[in-house]
Amino acid sequence: MAVYFSGRKKIGELSVALESGRARVDCMIFERWIDIDSSTTARCGEQGTCQVAKTEGIAEKASQTVERSIGTSLGLDDILKLKAQIKDVFGYEVNWNHSITTTKTFNFEAPVCGRYSLVVYQLLREYELTYLRQRRWTFRQDAWDKKWSRTIPEHTNTHDTLPDVEEFDEACKFRPECKSKDTMPNAYDGLLCFDMGKASFRVPYRLTSDGFEVQILKRLISFTFTDYPAGVRGLEQGLTISLPVQIIPEPLVFLSDIKGEYVEAQVFRYMDPDEDQTRFPEEVLTGITTLKGVLALTGQKF
């Protein structure tokens, strides 16, 4: 899952015994989301650009830390043992290879009287390693000397976006064509998260008479429920929807290497980060939601 949360979250910890128990490495793992986009807000019909960098692995400085500082105490077999145990416990591959960055720029245009913004996040995983050796000349089995502590930040290939387009922005009311513009903000029922495993985005939604609609940048996308009560419950529990790739924000498609015309997404109401984000049934509801239509916002082009 690629569900955004604020702050720094502890994922877990483990300890790996080395040298027949005479040494050990303690590892605490944390995750946090970092903002990786630049210049992604424009107003009043302005042109703008969104530049994102695709980076996976560890930076050169962190790579040198692994090779020099950690490598002097841990051999290759020890590092492989640590990575293998992390995979066994947490279920993912550790990537401590030197990262390669690919950058791409996307163009966008704000509504004539409104605002266009897009925030792009990347999941950063931090490993806090502590190397200890058993103290000599003591009968205590729990006596350890701390030799060093290091933190390895790993850029993952998990990303999240928060697209936001408003048809009217107070900063644009000086324009003649905007003076009579309706300044009432759009009414929505909250945010929905579309989770595609390694990629997700959060957008405003509102319930309709036969389903719901979401605003993804300049598009309004409508979905219908084949079973309305079950569909409404499904937004709380989780729905599986086949989503056209063309409506996903372009930077997210690039960063996550999304291919094909459609992608399967798990859709659920996004809750405040302080609330429990994992209230899903054992089996997510499927087959009760269909795509009804894709429209442009008033006065906007795709």
Side-chain angles (χ1 to χ4, degrees):
M1 294 178 62
V3 182
Y4 175 86
F5 55 85
S6 59
R8 190 171 185 249
K9 182 178 179 181
K10 184 177 180 179
I11 302 304
E13 58 185 296
L14 53 82
S15 184
V16 178
L18 307 172
E19 299 180 29
S20 301
R22 293 189 297 273
R24 78 171 198 259
V25 173
D26 294 341
C27 177
M28 289 193 295
I29 305 173
F30 298 86
E31 290 181 346
R32 60 187 176 93
W33 292 90
I34 57 174
D35 186 344
I36 63 169
D37 64 292
S38 59
S39 303
T40 52
T41 298
R43 290 179 170 85
C44 313
E46 294 177 338
Q47 301 284 335
T49 60
C50 173
Q51 185 179 81
V52 292
K54 184 190 298 184
T55 303
E56 185 178 354
I58 60 177
E60 183 177 359
K61 185 176 180 180
S63 180
Q64 292 174 354
T65 298
V66 173
E67 293 175 3
R68 298 175 185 175
S69 302
I70 298 177
T72 57
S73 302
L74 305 180
L76 177 59
D77 289 343
D78 296 331
I79 293 177
L80 292 176
K81 184 178 180 180
L82 174 60
K83 288 182 176 181
Q85 189 154 334
I86 291 174
K87 182 180 179 181
D88 288 343
V89 174
F90 300 104
Y92 65 83
E93 295 276 358
V94 177
N95 183 359
W96 289 349
N97 297 320
H98 185 197
S99 62
I100 297 176
T101 299
T102 304
T103 302
K104 189 170 183 178
T105 300
F106 299 87
N107 298 317
F108 61 86
E109 181 180 353
V112 173
C113 301
R115 172 180 52 81
Y116 180 115
S117 65
L118 176 67
V119 185
V120 184
Y121 298 97
Q122 181 177 24
L123 186 67
L124 185 72
R125 193 170 287 133
E126 296 174 318
Y127 302 86
E128 293 188 356
L129 304 179
T130 302
Y131 179 73
L132 306 100
R133 292 193 64 85
Q134 197 168 43
R135 189 174 299 168
R136 295 183 177 183
W137 318 116
T138 179
F139 293 103
R140 292 180 55 189
Q141 296 296 316
D142 60 346
W144 297 87
D145 286 326
K146 176 181 173 181
K147 296 301 182 182
W148 51 256
S149 292
R150 300 286 187 275
T151 298
I152 303 176
E154 174 194 349
H155 291 82
T156 73
N157 64 341
T158 300
H159 298 84
D160 173 82
T161 59
L162 184 62
D164 184 19
V165 172
E166 291 287 347
E167 294 185 74
F168 180 81
D169 188 281
E170 283 290 333
C172 307
K173 62 183 180 181
F174 68 91
R175 300 181 65 130
E177 62 267 43
C178 301
K179 289 183 178 179
S180 60
K181 186 79 173 178
D182 184 7
T183 60
M184 291 296 293
N186 293 326
Y188 290 104
D189 296 317
L191 290 178
L192 285 186
C193 179
F194 287 73
D195 182 11
M196 296 158 284
K198 292 292 186 180
S200 66
F201 59 90
R202 292 162 290 142
V203 290
Y205 83 99
R206 57 174 157 249
L207 293 172
T208 61
S209 60
D210 60 354
F212 68 96
E213 65 180 19
V214 295
Q215 179 184 331
I216 305 177
L217 295 176
K218 295 184 178 182
R219 292 184 171 98
L220 284 175
I221 298 94
S222 300
F223 296 89
T224 57
F225 293 139
T226 55
D227 183 334
Y228 195 88
V232 173
R233 292 195 304 271
L235 292 180
E236 298 294 328
Q237 300 170 339
L239 296 169
T240 296
I241 293 178
S242 183
L243 199 64
V245 172
Q246 66 170 348
I247 69 175
I248 300 173
E250 287 184 287
L252 188 61
V253 174
F254 163 71
L255 291 168
S256 303
D257 292 319
I258 298 174
K259 308 294 184 184
E261 295 183 6
Y262 289 85
V263 63
E264 192 171 272
Q266 190 178 114
V267 183
F268 51 91
R269 185 176 69 87
Y270 178 76
M271 295 173 286
D272 185 272
D274 292 332
E275 297 182 53
D276 182 10
Q277 294 279 359
T278 56
R279 298 186 302 166
F280 298 108
E282 292 185 2
E283 186 173 349
V284 177
L285 299 175
T286 60
I288 63 172
T289 307
T290 56
L291 178 65
K292 181 179 180 181
V294 179
L295 301 174
L297 291 178
T298 305
Q300 303 301 316
K301 298 179 180 179
F302 287 160

